[in-house]
Amino acid sequence: MLVIMSPMLIRLGSVEHTLDEKALVRIADPVNIPSIRSRVYDKERRFIGLVTDIIGPVSRPYAVVALKEKTIHSGTELFYEPPRRKYRHRE
């Protein structure tokens, strides 16, 4: 039997502004910056989009998220999936 574990999600922050198919998200913890192309989810674990850029000052960074759909509103809390570890087989 194959069991698929759901990925651990880390709080990204809340949506500050949306424009067309992009969202500007204030990063909640400047120590934990998501990688570019990190997958972003809402609190119900629905896929929202991908991180495309990190902008702003180091002390108060923002993530630019390319949205899958335009149905997100300001104030929405978002989460991201941390990068998966890549293992190599050594011979």
Side-chain angles (χ1 to χ4, degrees):
M1 179 163 93
L2 177 64
V3 177
I4 299 175
M5 302 298 285
S6 62
M8 179 182 83
L9 297 180
I10 299 171
R11 183 172 178 248
L12 176 60
S14 59
V15 175
E16 294 278 325
H17 303 284
T18 58
L19 179 64
D20 296 329
E21 295 171 357
K22 302 244 184 215
L24 186 63
V25 180
R26 172 79 180 278
I27 295 177
D29 183 5
V31 174
N32 291 318
I33 303 292
S35 302
I36 301 298
R37 300 202 41 81
S38 291
R39 297 175 62 87
V40 178
Y41 300 88
D42 65 7
K43 66 181 178 181
E44 283 84 31
R45 292 184 171 267
R46 289 184 298 232
F47 176 69
I48 298 298
L50 298 173
V51 174
T52 58
D53 202 1
I54 305 295
I55 61 172
V58 174
S59 61
R60 296 177 51 157
Y62 290 85
V64 178
V65 177
L67 301 173
K68 179 180 159 192
E69 299 175 4
K70 296 182 183 181
T71 59
I72 197 163
H73 303 288
S74 294
T76 303
E77 286 292 318
L78 297 180
F79 303 84
Y80 72 96
E81 183 178 353
R84 295 184 181 139
R85 293 185 181 177
K86 296 181 182 179
Y87 296 98
R88 287 191 200 167
H89 177 62
R90 294 186 185 186
E91 294 184 26

